[in-house]
Structures are given as structure tokens and as C-alpha cells.
Amino acid sequence: MANISPLAGKTLDQSQLTDIPALVAAYYDRKPDVSIPTQRVSFGTSGHRGSSFHTSFNEGHILAICEAICRYRKAEGIDGPLFIGIDSHALSAPAQRSAIEVFAAHGIDVRIDQNDGYTPTPVISHAILTYNKGRTTGLADGVVVTPSHNPPTDGGFKYNPTNGGPADTAVTKAIQDMANELLADGLKDVKRLPYDEAKNAPSIKRYDYVTPYVADLENVIDMASIRDAGVKIGIDPLGGAAVGYWKPIVEKYGLNATIVSDVVDPQFAFMTADWDGQIRMDCSSPYAMARLIKMGEDFDVAFANDTDADRHGIVAMPDGLMNPNHYLAVAVSYLFQNRPEWKLDLGVGKTLVSSGLIDRVVADMGRKLVEVPVGLKWFVPGLMDGSLGFGGEESAGATFLRRDGSVWTTDKDGIILGLLAAEITAKTGKNPSQHYHEIIARLGTPYYARIDAAANPEQKAKLSKLAPEQFPLEELAGDKIIAKLTKAPGNGAAIGGLKVVTENGWFAARPSGTEDVYKIYAESFKSPEHLKAIQDEAQAAISKVFAS
């Protein structure tokens, strides 16, 4: 990662923080122009995101998206409750207000937090699935208003259909296209009530999200073993949506846990800056996680969540903050050996840019690996039908089945991944970091990195449509190439780029959806120098493809 800012790992001066009143004012004042690409509704892998300062996340966007969701629900016959949750970003509450104005006008049965609190992404998924269990009609779906770990200037809005997981591409494209048509037409066909009328509409109901989720945790995590072992736990919600959940969890299960901070601040002034000097609630970044890392030796294991609690950051000695790939490998290894009720033919899901160490762990256990494109949405069918026990991605997001082998969530759940670290420590007497070192002593040490390289829109389009035969190399960093992939082996879906694999390493190249760059993920099981050789040869080969 180039150009580390001198501010990285430090708290920022007040003058460098977001002007929250101006940000919220811009949400209402700025009107998106759909003739400008950056101001259109655009659903990426995690919904529509943007900033009101850039006219990419404004009232117009949310009104149009919600009208489109209402029409989609009607077309699909979805007429159960819509669970809606928000995180602690400054734009989340205004966006929820806009959503309620539209949903109430359509008479949608909406469930909002009973205390106007925050609701983590996995809690919405859990609420949808538990409501829909055993039902064939009147099914629920949901919305989470969050830009995940993005900076305080950002807002986000994502739709989870009746399967509880992130909406697939067909669904998001339908909603996105309809929303942009509504914007282009001046929102004149958007049904909407004034907020004071909407919030008191009989269809807008208060709902207790906390109690059912917290009470159900013992069915996915061995909470009694954590309590009985007295594992000393540190927890940092990073001022996010899980802030109102950890105290009830600690109290219900009698955990020996310290919540190191319960501060909520839309400026996130308590955060230490990320690598580029920006504030991000990225629980896999050593710069953003400087506070908890410093406290790491005070606990047997410590963990944090990003702002919507779908990601996890694990702090355990001797490593401090664990690389997300390393922890996923440990989690897979532990779960598939410590869930006796899980079926023996359960597969392990991973995204194709996640570490090959997971492949080696899965092969070592004699389990089936299911490798899919980037995005947790690809794991939803397998989690729902019980063919996947675990689904994880390199960006510190994962979920897994209940202890009885049934579905828990179909979206990422950073809360259970943190608690799993405590369970591992309780049941084995070793923390996840110690388990990682035992695994690599047997299966090899991975050296993994991601870099970004410049690419214009034409080059990005060429990369996304690349065929294996257009990549002529037979060797990579001295090793014979054994696979050139443009489709994921686990489900045959297009990866929107290329993955090249050897016995001792691999790289994957994918265009960015938001910037004029492409991303090169690479890994070596030999050395840092071998990793560098893979990166250099990959970049040179992709440059030739661009020039052809």
C-alpha cells in the first residue's frame, strides 16, 4: 500500500473532521442530475453509497430507491414486514426518515427500532430469516441504511430480500434502473407522506431487535464455554451499530468482558486515521484499530466491529491485529472440527481473492471448497439450503451456520465472528493467533497483498471481459501456471476479471467499480520476494493485454 499518510494511526484535529450540519444540509439541498454518471443511483456489491457533498447520496436518491423497492415488492408479491435498520453515520438517520415517508405512503408494514437505536446488518438478516422460517406467504424483507466502514461523509442504502442476504445483481439492477428513471422524471411519480404524518402511520411499527438476536446467540456460539472459562475479552464497537448490543450480550451470558468505549459520534473523532489519513471504521486496518491494538495485551482476546457490525477485527497475541485471511482460516479449521451436529458433506465458501491458506485448510480436513466471485451474496443459496457451513471473504466478513447446522444469517455477521474468537480461546486454551501459527507450521506461510494500478474506463472494460486465452503466459514467478480463471470454480459465475494460479501462489485482477484503477490481489507461499515477483509479472502481463 503506497503513500502512507503521516496522519495514519493518529486522531485528527477538530479542523480535519467532517462538518456534520453542512453534510446533513447538503443531503436535502443538493439535487442529483442523472445525466452526470457519478450522481446516478448505483448499486455496488453492498448497495448504493455516496456522499451528500458530492451529490451522490441525497434525499432524491433515497426517495427514488424506496419507491423502486415498493414497486419491486409489489411485482414480486412480497407483502410481509420490511425490517429497517440504520447505523451511526450522520446521513443514516435522514435517509431513514426519507425511507419512512415513502414506505408509509405505500402502506408498507415497516419495523423500526423501538428505541430509535442503531441496528447492525446481521441483526436485520437474522430478523428476516427468523420471521420467514416456516412461512410460504407474507414473507419479510429488509433495508439497512449504512455505508459500512466508509468515512463519516458517506451514506449507504442496501436492500436484503426475503432470503435475508444481500440482494443479487438482477434485483439490484431492477431497483437501480427504476430509481434512475424516477430521478430523471423529477420524482413526480414517487408516493410520499410528510414525515410527521408518516412516522405516526399505523403501518410504521416499533420493534425490539435486540432481545431476540441476543437470546439466540447461544444457538450459534457456545456462550456457556466462554463464560465458564472466564476468557478475558475486550470489545470495541468503534462507535457503530453494535454499541447497544454488547452490554446486553455481556450481561445475559455473564461474560468476563470489557467494552472499551461506548462513545457514539457522527464525526468519529475518537477514531485514529486510516492509511491515507481518512477516518474509516475499518476493523481490519492496523491504523484504524490503533486503540484496541495498544490494549491487546490487557485481554486474552479482543475484537472490534465496523459501523454496521458486519465485519470483524480480531486482536490476539502474539500477532496483535490478525490479518483477516489468517483468522478466516483459523475459524474454518475450528468450526468444522467442533460442530458435531454439522453434516459431513458441508462445504466451505470463500471468495476467489481470499487466501489460499483457506484452500489448504479445507483440503487438509477433506472438505469441499466452494470458491465464488467477490461478494457475500454468492453464499446465500448454500447457507439457505445447508450445503455451506461457512462463507467468508478477505475483507473481514463472514457468517456460518447455527450449531445444529441450520441457517443463522445470510449476511456477514461481525458479532459472531468476534464471539467465535472467544469460544476458540475458551475451548482450546489457545487464542486464534496461536492457532494460526500452528496451522502455517503444517500447511505453509502465506504472503498476501493487494495493490491498485491505474486503468482508464476502456481498459477496465477490457479486463472485465478478458478470456483465459488472451493471457498467454505459461509460467508465473518461476512456477507453472495450473489455472487461468475468468469464472469462479464454485458456481461458474463470471468474476469480472482474471485469476491465475500456480502451485505456490496466485494473483487475481479486477477493475474497480468506483475508481480509475484495477485491483491486483496476490499471494505467495514461498516468500515476500516471490510475492513481489508475482505482482510485477501480473502487472506487466495485464499492461500487455491493455495495449493489445
Side-chain angles (χ1 to χ4, degrees):
M1 191 178 290
N3 301 321
I4 303 298
S5 167
L7 298 173
K10 300 175 183 175
T11 52
L12 299 184
D13 183 79
Q14 181 64 38
S15 63
Q16 298 166 304
L17 301 176
T18 301
D19 183 339
I20 300 300
L23 182 74
V24 173
Y27 172 80
Y28 292 105
D29 294 342
R30 297 194 179 193
K31 310 301 178 188
D33 180 349
V34 292
S35 69
I36 301 172
T38 57
Q39 295 185 19
R40 295 171 65 85
V41 171
S42 178
F43 273 80
T45 54
S46 295
H48 174 76
R49 293 184 186 176
S51 172
S52 61
F53 285 151
H54 300 145
T55 323
S56 52
F57 190 93
N58 301 80
E59 183 182 44
H61 296 106
I62 306 309
L63 296 174
I65 290 169
C66 292
E67 178 68 28
I69 287 172
C70 291
R71 297 183 185 189
Y72 172 80
R73 291 179 104 242
K74 186 174 182 179
E76 295 296 316
I78 301 170
D79 56 2
L82 184 145
F83 295 98
I84 184 168
I86 65 170
D87 76 359
S88 52
H89 276 79
L91 291 177
S92 295
Q96 186 190 51
R97 288 171 65 101
S98 302
I100 288 171
E101 291 175 0
V102 176
F103 293 149
H106 282 267
I108 304 290
D109 178 8
V110 173
R111 309 290 170 88
I112 62 174
D113 182 79
Q114 63 179 3
N115 298 313
D116 293 321
Y118 307 114
T119 309
T121 285
V123 175
I124 294 295
S125 181
H126 178 270
I128 294 168
L129 291 172
T130 52
Y131 183 88
N132 288 344
K133 187 176 182 180
R135 297 176 191 266
T136 56
T137 60
L139 298 179
D141 56 359
V143 160
V144 194
V145 189
T146 174
S148 189
H149 62 289
N150 280 25
T153 52
D154 285 15
F157 201 94
K158 57 185 181 180
Y159 175 66
N160 286 32
T162 57
N163 61 24
D168 67 29
T169 308
V171 176
T172 56
K173 186 176 189 309
I175 293 171
Q176 169 187 295
D177 292 351
M178 199 181 310
N180 283 319
E181 288 176 16
L182 290 162
L183 276 174
D185 204 27
L187 301 172
K188 69 174 189 283
D189 288 331
V190 173
K191 292 177 69 174
R192 179 185 186 188
L193 292 175
Y195 180 68
D196 286 342
E197 183 181 343
K199 71 178 181 180
N200 294 313
S203 62
I204 309 297
K205 300 181 176 73
R206 300 281 172 170
Y207 182 78
D208 178 6
Y209 282 106
V210 178
T211 302
Y213 178 85
V214 171
D216 210 8
L217 279 171
E218 63 186 359
N219 293 310
V220 68
I221 296 290
D222 189 346
M223 302 298 286
S225 71
I226 301 173
R227 178 195 64 226
D228 294 346
V231 178
K232 192 176 182 185
I233 305 167
I235 303 167
D236 192 344
L238 299 182
V243 72
Y245 284 72
W246 282 115
K247 186 178 179 184
I249 292 169
V250 170
E251 290 178 349
K252 176 172 175 58
Y253 295 105
L255 304 184
N256 180 20
T258 300
I259 302 166
V260 300
S261 174
D262 59 2
V263 172
V264 175
D265 168 18
Q267 291 184 306
F268 293 91
F270 55 84
M271 286 294 300
T272 47
D274 204 357
W275 65 275
D276 57 356
Q278 298 292 311
I279 289 178
R280 282 187 201 87
M281 288 55 70
D282 183 353
C283 48
S284 62
S285 163
Y287 304 105
M289 286 278 284
R291 175 173 69 182
L292 194 61
I293 294 169
K294 188 176 180 181
M295 301 173 68
E297 291 187 355
D298 297 339
F299 305 104
D300 298 324
V301 65
F303 44 83
N305 297 123
D306 69 336
T307 325
D308 70 324
D310 68 346
R311 299 188 187 199
H312 57 274
I314 309 299
V315 176
M317 297 301 144
D319 289 330
L321 180 66
M322 293 187 70
N323 179 295
N325 278 300
H326 300 173
Y327 180 59
L328 292 185
V330 170
V332 167
S333 176
Y334 173 83
L335 282 166
F336 282 79
Q337 297 177 76
N338 289 273
R339 291 296 186 268
E341 293 186 56
W342 284 13
K343 295 184 297 185
L344 293 177
D345 61 352
L346 272 182
V348 177
K350 59 158 272 197
T351 53
L352 58 85
V353 296
S354 300
S355 175
L357 183 62
I358 299 169
D359 306 45
R360 296 186 177 197
V361 165
V362 173
D364 188 54
M365 295 190 298
R367 293 283 186 164
K368 177 187 177 184
L369 183 74
V370 180
E371 190 171 33
V372 302
V374 173
L376 204 100
K377 63 188 176 186
W378 300 106
F379 302 126
V380 173
L383 293 164
M384 289 290 285
D385 67 21
S387 61
L388 284 182
F390 179 95
E393 54 187 12
E394 100 293 340
S395 57
T399 190
F400 49 89
L401 297 180
R402 294 168 181 267
R403 294 161 74 184
D404 68 2
S406 62
V407 66
W408 167 253
T409 62
T410 45
D411 213 330
K412 295 174 284 194
D413 190 337
I415 294 173
I416 63 167
L417 268 294
L419 290 169
L420 180 66
E423 181 190 324
I424 292 170
T425 307
K427 298 274 280 196
T428 69
K430 299 173 186 173
N431 70 38
S433 178
Q434 293 167 315
H435 280 278
Y436 167 72
H437 287 281
E438 289 184 356
I439 289 171
I440 62 172
R442 290 188 300 108
L443 302 180
T445 301
Y447 302 92
Y448 178 104
R450 192 197 97 185
I451 57 174
D452 294 349
N456 62 38
E458 182 184 356
Q459 292 170 330
K460 291 198 299 177
K462 185 178 283 191
L463 178 58
S464 69
K465 297 181 178 67
L466 194 66
E469 57 269 20
Q470 292 175 269
F471 192 86
L473 292 187
E474 298 302 320
E475 284 195 352
L476 178 67
D479 293 323
K480 186 175 185 298
I481 292 172
I482 57 178
K484 300 175 187 177
L485 305 171
T486 55
K487 294 184 176 179
N491 61 359
I495 65 179
L498 173 73
K499 182 173 183 179
V500 176
V501 185
T502 72
E503 185 179 343
N504 295 303
W506 60 271
F507 81 84
R510 296 177 59 249
S512 168
T514 56
E515 301 173 271
D516 283 340
V517 300
Y518 71 96
K519 304 169 191 295
I520 302 175
Y521 304 81
E523 185 170 44
S524 165
F525 278 87
K526 283 185 174 179
S527 67
E529 293 75 23
H530 185 242
L531 170 64
K532 180 71 163 56
I534 291 174
Q535 292 171 324
D536 291 345
E537 291 185 23
Q539 202 164 344
I542 296 293
S543 294
K544 285 184 179 178
V545 169
F546 287 162
S548 65

